Structures are given as C-alpha cells and as structure tokens.
C-alpha cells in the first residue's frame, strides 16, 4: 500500500504511536511498537527503531532507537550545570514517512546524584515526523530514567520531567549495574535498630524501586552517643568469614567514621546467614550511610577461585 507512514519504535516501557496515512488519519498507518517491559523491571535494553514508511512509492527508513547508558560512582554523580550538559539517550528521528525511534535508558547509580544538566530519553526527539501529518511516521515512545541513590537533588529533575514526562522517571536505592549470577557472594544491610525513649524502632533499606522522590521516605535520625544494632544478611558467604560494618561520617575531615566487626552468624536459609553488629553514634557527628562488607571471599570465575566458599 502506498502513502503509509511507518510506526514509531517503542521505548523500554512506553508504547509508540502508529504512522499516518495519505489523508493524515491518526493511527491509520503502520502500527506503533509495543513496550516489552513494565516500569518496575530491572531492565537494561534501549529503545526500538522506528518502522519503514512508504510515500509515493519511495521507502523511508525509521529512526534508530536510543541506547543504554549506565553510570556508576562510589561517591557522587554530577550531571553538570546547564541545559547543554547532561546525559542523552534519545530516539532518532527519520525523514518523511519513517517512524521515529524509541527513547533509550539512563541509569545513574551512586549514593549522591546532583546537578542541573539534562537527562533526556525522548523518543523521536525533534518531533517533526510524528505530528499527524499526511504520510508521516509515528512517534517513538519515551525511554526510562532510573536514579538509584540515597540523596537525589538538582535542577535536572525538572528537565527530566519536562522533556520526558513523569512516566519516564523512576527512583530507587542503588542496585548492581547488572544482574549477578545466582551464586555470587553478596552482603546487604537489612535493618538498623535503635531505642527511642524505651521504644525500639527499625529502619530497613530503601525499596529497590519507588516512583516518588526519595525525600518522601526519609531514613532514621539518630541521637548523639546512641547505640545502634545493625543486621547484615549474606548469601554464599562462609560462616567463618569476617563481616564488617561501618557508619560513614558526612564530614570525614572533622568527624570520625565507626568500623566494627559483626559477631558470629545465625543461619537464615540455604547458603544464607544473618550477622549483627553494635555501634555507638559518636558525639556531635553527622552520619551518612551505613555499609557492610566481608573479607576474603572470592567470586567464582575469578583467578584462583574454584568454589563459592573457598
């Protein structure tokens, strides 16, 4: 059939729109792409390319799909401070009857994420070939932005909303950049307990994924000189290992972090243990994150490691 616009390419979690026919009828051209994931999936794929279109017997290719960008930092990520800076994984546009490409995916993983740069995962980002005009292709679906951190603030959030829409922006606690194989040794702080006026309160880690800004679910505030009990869960770590817990000072130049070794573990399931450590908040110290790690446990597949628990 002549004079049919190609469908737009889907974003990771957003559908694309259909192309247009010779009279400009919305959705009368080729069908737009369908997203293959939902918002809460830990996905790593980008956007789909737009479909080909036909105008007066001439074929037009679709725009390319946006890619995947993953940035990981152990301290902080700064997106820059103007609209020309930032991170871009936009879907490409195409000429005439071709469909626009779907937006890609951006994951920023760090304890602190800040800045004023743009986070842009728009589908068919210039918008000139998906505006209900005769022969034109459909729009690519917007991509996905995942901000995985404990302290997330900056003007880039308004840019992310304005350019991509709220449905493209997701917050969460820092996660591994890629899914690990099943028997990889892992260490996770699962609870921090403290007594407030005779009542014990518990603070678990932030959820893996949450839609709203993390400031809507603040962590626990501790008093100076207060005792804390930190519970750590390990998987594929031997019971003879040394597990360490640290409270990090927000101002390491003037305050001290606290490091203690956890006690003997308790079995929590197959290849799983829980460990506890008691720490005291230093006087007049502003604390940041609480972390845990384990000594001398190798990862299968690395040099000199023949077993999960050597």
């Amino acid at each position: 059939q002549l004079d049919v616009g190609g469908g737009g390419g889907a974003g990771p979690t957003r559908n694309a729109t259909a192309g247009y026919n010779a009279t400009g009828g919305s959705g009368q051209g080729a069908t737009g792409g369908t997203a293959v994931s939902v918002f809460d999936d830990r996905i790593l794929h980008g956007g789909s390319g737009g479909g080909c279109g036909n105008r007066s017997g001439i074929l037009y290719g679709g725009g390319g799909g946006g890619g995947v960008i993953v940035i990981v930092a152990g301290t902080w990520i700064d997106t820059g401070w103007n609209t020309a800076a930032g991170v871009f994984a936009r879907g490409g546009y195409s000429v005439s009857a071709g469909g626009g490409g779907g937006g890609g995916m951006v994951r920023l993983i760090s304890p602190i994420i800040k800045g004023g740069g743009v986070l842009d995962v728009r589908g068919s980002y210039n918008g000139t070939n998906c505006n209900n005009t005769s022969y034109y292709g459909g729009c690519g679906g917007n991509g996905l932005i995942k901000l995985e951190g404990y302290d997330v603030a900056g003007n880039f959030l308004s840019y992310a909303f304005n350019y991509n829409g709220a449905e493209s922006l997701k917050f969460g606690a820092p996660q591994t950049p890629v899914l690990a194989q099943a028997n990889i040794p892992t260490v996770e702080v699962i609870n921090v307990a403290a007594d407030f006026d005779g009542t014990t309160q518990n603070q678990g880690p932030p959820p893996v994924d949450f839609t709203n800004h993390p400031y809507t679910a603040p962590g626990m505030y501790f008093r100076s000189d207060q005792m804390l009990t930190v519970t750590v869960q390990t998987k594929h770590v031997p019971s003879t290992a040394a597990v360490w817990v640290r409270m990090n000072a927000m101002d390491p130049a003037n305050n001290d972090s606290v490091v203690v070794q956890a006690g003997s573990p308790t079995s929590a399931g197959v290849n799983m243990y829980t460990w506890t450590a008691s720490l005291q908040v230093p006087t007049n110290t502003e604390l940041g994150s609480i972390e845990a790690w384990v000594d001398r446990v190798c990862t299968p597949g690395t040099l000199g490691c023949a077993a999960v628990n050597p």
Side-chain angles (χ1 to χ4, degrees), residues 26 65 99 200 273 301:
S26 178
T200 300
Y273 292 96

Side-chain angles (χ1 to χ4, degrees), residues 212-304:
N212 295 320
H213 193 281
Y215 284 159
T216 61
M220 185 183 293
Y221 294 93
F222 303 114
R223 297 170 178 167
S224 182
D225 299 317
Q226 188 166 33
M227 293 297 298
L228 311 179
T229 300
V230 179
T231 303
V232 178
Q233 184 179 80
T234 62
K235 298 179 182 179
H236 300 287
V237 171
S239 60
T240 55
V243 174
W244 299 88
V245 177
R246 174 166 57 200
M247 295 190 298
N248 294 294
M250 290 289 287
D251 184 4
N254 300 307
N255 298 132
D256 294 326
S257 297
V258 180
V259 180
V260 300
Q261 183 175 350
S264 299
T266 300
S267 178
V270 179
N271 294 319
M272 294 175 55
Y273 292 96
T274 57
W275 316 64
T276 57
S278 297
L279 305 94
Q280 185 172 10
V281 178
T283 302
N284 298 324
T285 295
E286 184 178 3
L287 294 176
S289 60
I290 296 177
E291 61 181 345
W293 69 94
V294 61
D295 283 349
R296 297 180 295 277
V297 175
C298 65
T299 299
T302 59
L303 184 64

Side-chain angles (χ1 to χ4, degrees), residues 1-302:
Q1 182 180 358
L2 299 180
D3 302 333
V4 173
T13 61
R14 302 291 296 177
N15 294 338
T17 63
Y20 305 100
N21 65 10
T23 61
S26 178
Q28 298 300 309
T31 302
T34 301
V36 298
S37 298
V38 296
F39 208 41
D40 292 325
D41 284 349
R42 290 182 60 189
I43 54 178
L44 280 176
H45 61 76
S48 300
C52 295
N54 190 330
R55 181 175 182 180
S56 300
I58 300 175
L59 297 178
Y60 292 87
V68 174
I69 299 175
V70 181
I71 301 175
V72 184
T75 51
W76 69 81
I77 294 173
D78 189 333
T79 66
W81 292 100
N82 59 72
T83 57
V87 185
F88 302 85
R90 302 181 295 200
Y93 62 92
S94 63
V95 177
S96 190
M105 180 175 182
V106 170
R107 288 182 68 197
L108 305 185
I109 307 170
S110 182
I112 299 173
I113 305 172
K114 61 182 182 178
V118 175
L119 300 179
D120 193 350
V121 293
R122 284 176 289 174
S124 50
Y125 68 93
N126 74 339
T128 60
N129 66 328
C130 57
N131 53 4
N132 197 12
T133 303
S134 297
Y135 318 115
Y136 272 46
C139 296
N142 280 345
L144 178 62
I145 300 168
K146 300 194 78 172
L147 303 177
E148 301 176 25
Y150 300 113
D151 186 355
V152 181
N155 290 334
F156 67 83
L157 292 180
S158 65
Y159 293 134
F161 276 116
N162 292 340
Y163 282 165
N164 311 287
E167 76 281 354
S168 290
L169 189 59
K170 186 80 171 180
F171 298 97
Q175 298 296 298
T176 55
V178 295
L179 294 176
Q181 63 191 74
N183 60 354
I184 291 293
T186 60
V187 181
E188 180 183 11
V189 176
I190 61 172
N191 190 65
V192 179
D195 288 333
F196 294 90
D197 300 324
T199 301
T200 300
Q201 296 187 23
N202 297 286
Q203 176 69 53
V208 172
D209 287 309
F210 43 95
T211 300
N212 295 320
H213 193 281
Y215 284 159
T216 61
M220 185 183 293
Y221 294 93
F222 303 114
R223 297 170 178 167
S224 182
D225 299 317
Q226 188 166 33
M227 293 297 298
L228 311 179
T229 300
V230 179
T231 303
V232 178
Q233 184 179 80
T234 62
K235 298 179 182 179
H236 300 287
V237 171
S239 60
T240 55
V243 174
W244 299 88
V245 177
R246 174 166 57 200
M247 295 190 298
N248 294 294
M250 290 289 287
D251 184 4
N254 300 307
N255 298 132
D256 294 326
S257 297
V258 180
V259 180
V260 300
Q261 183 175 350
S264 299
T266 300
S267 178
V270 179
N271 294 319
M272 294 175 55
Y273 292 96
T274 57
W275 316 64
T276 57
S278 297
L279 305 94
Q280 185 172 10
V281 178
T283 302
N284 298 324
T285 295
E286 184 178 3
L287 294 176
S289 60
I290 296 177
E291 61 181 345
W293 69 94
V294 61
D295 283 349
R296 297 180 295 277
V297 175
C298 65
T299 299
T302 59

